[in-house]
Amino acid sequence: MTLLHTSVVKELLSIKPAHQNEALAELMTIFRCGGKIVEKDGVYSLEAFFTSEKIAGRVAHLLHALFQVPSTITSAQRSGQRPRAKLVCTEDVAKIGLKLGLYNIHANPVRGLPATLVGANKSHVGPAWRGAFLSAGKLHDPLRNCTIDILCPTMEAAYGLGGLARRVDIPYRVREARGVYRVEVREPIPVADILRRMGATASASQWEQACKDRTIEVPVHRLENFDDANLRRSATAAKIATIRVRRAFEILGNDIPQNLKEAGQARICHPEDSLSVLGTYLHPQASKDAVAGRLRRLTSMADKVAEDRGIPTTLDAVKEAQQN
């Protein structure tokens, strides 16, 4: 972790939610991004892992303040990973899971963010992002990558968290790699804005200064190398996307929404074109981000169906192609 990341965590841990709704919004994203309900021998427990006992302690305090339930915190270290803290709560798990939006009233798991949080007013954006950051966030070194990102369990959760940022005019993007989803806020000003929304005002100022101080003197030959590398990455990504889309069509057959089908067909027919160019083939024309979003939804839909049927997914098709 960078020094700035550590500074942000320290500052966020010092914040006391102004009211119960703020605390609830923070807990919702904490357990959506880093927690789950576990059943063992008929006993249910609410569990979550954190990078430090101080973060786990804050979560335990919020749980007790809102639901009057105790939690236990233990050290947990996985092989090859840094030490972590594990929080476990075994009281009123069904009630808490429902209140946090992990399950709906029909006891079905919620894949995205709770509707009560998505529809809440803008004052809940900061606490929600604060919880997600403490649970599964990372602030990157501004000398290398001006980005803050959150690891999310599902595409729906990533877009839900990004949608909250968009409500306060902070742009975001969702990335998916090998079934792992991340929501990102990029560039110095938007990153500083979301840090201030979360409550890390001092760290936001440090971040802005660090971005101003970074040097950008890059030799011409390095820039050329970067361009070549970007072209190679783009070509590889397009090839992988084409393989996944072909497999998605095989899995879903005719059960594909028309807008997703059109984007998939454009990807297959023009495997070497960029997403921006693919958008010009659609009717009506679509932006690069819109095309990327449709392709993501198409492959995610197919992967879910494949998992339910127990057949190879679109990612399995990519692995098979790489082996051959």
Side-chain angles (χ1 to χ4, degrees), residues 274-290:
S274 67
L275 293 174
S276 298
V277 174
L278 288 185
T280 64
Y281 300 140
L282 306 183
H283 303 283
Q285 293 187 6
S287 66
K288 170 184 175 181
D289 290 340

Side-chain angles (χ1 to χ4, degrees), residues 2-239:
T2 66
L3 290 176
L4 271 173
H5 177 97
T6 303
S7 174
V8 172
V9 171
K10 183 178 180 180
E11 191 170 2
L12 295 183
L13 290 177
S14 69
I15 296 172
K16 183 178 180 180
H19 47 74
Q20 287 190 342
N21 287 338
E22 275 195 16
L24 183 59
E26 184 175 334
L27 280 179
M28 282 177 170
T29 52
I30 282 175
F31 283 99
R32 164 58 65 229
C33 294
K36 59 183 178 180
I37 293 179
V38 178
E39 185 271 332
K40 184 177 181 181
D41 299 330
V43 178
Y44 290 86
S45 61
L46 182 64
E47 299 182 1
F49 285 92
F50 303 100
T51 55
S52 74
E53 291 189 4
K54 289 184 179 180
I55 299 177
R58 176 183 179 84
V59 177
H61 174 76
L62 292 177
L63 281 173
H64 187 269
L66 287 180
F67 304 109
Q68 292 76 52
V69 293
S71 304
T72 59
I73 300 173
T74 56
S75 296
Q77 185 169 8
R78 296 178 180 177
S79 177
Q81 295 184 352
R82 62 182 179 275
R84 310 179 81 195
K86 180 181 180 181
L87 177 144
V88 178
C89 174
T90 57
E91 293 189 17
D92 292 335
V93 173
K95 171 187 172 183
I96 296 173
L98 181 62
K99 194 70 175 179
L100 295 181
L102 299 177
Y103 287 85
N104 59 26
I105 58 175
H106 303 294
N108 296 318
V110 175
R111 290 182 58 81
L113 297 185
T116 53
L117 180 58
V118 174
N121 60 49
K122 294 180 180 180
S123 66
H124 291 74
V125 173
W129 266 79
R130 180 167 66 237
F133 184 84
L134 289 173
S135 181
K138 184 176 182 180
L139 179 64
H140 295 268
D141 187 341
L143 292 176
R144 298 184 178 182
N145 186 356
C146 293
T147 305
I148 183 172
D149 68 53
I150 311 291
L151 184 65
C152 296
T154 63
M155 178 178 66
E156 292 87 348
Y159 275 107
L161 194 59
L164 291 178
R166 177 66 72 181
R167 290 187 63 190
V168 291
D169 300 320
I170 296 176
Y172 75 96
R173 76 171 188 176
V174 171
R175 290 196 301 116
E176 181 258 337
R178 298 181 181 180
V180 177
Y181 301 93
R182 297 178 186 275
V183 58
E184 296 180 344
V185 172
R186 303 174 63 87
E187 304 303 328
I189 293 177
V191 170
D193 286 346
I194 198 64
L195 287 175
R196 289 193 173 92
R197 286 276 177 179
M198 288 158 52
T201 53
S203 298
S205 298
Q206 293 176 26
W207 166 265
E208 289 176 320
Q209 188 59 47
C211 291
K212 290 178 182 178
D213 293 343
R214 64 180 177 162
T215 58
I216 54 174
E217 296 178 1
V218 182
V220 173
H221 71 274
R222 286 191 62 196
L223 288 174
E224 292 173 347
N225 290 339
F226 288 154
D227 289 340
D228 290 342
N230 285 334
L231 287 173
R232 288 194 297 271
R233 281 195 293 268
S234 296
T236 301
K239 182 178 180 180

Side-chain angles (χ1 to χ4, degrees), residues 175-181 240 244 303 315 318-319 322:
R175 290 196 301 116
E176 181 258 337
R178 298 181 181 180
V180 177
Y181 301 93
I240 291 174
R244 295 190 67 186
D303 286 340
L315 293 173
V318 173
K319 294 177 183 177
Q322 290 172 340

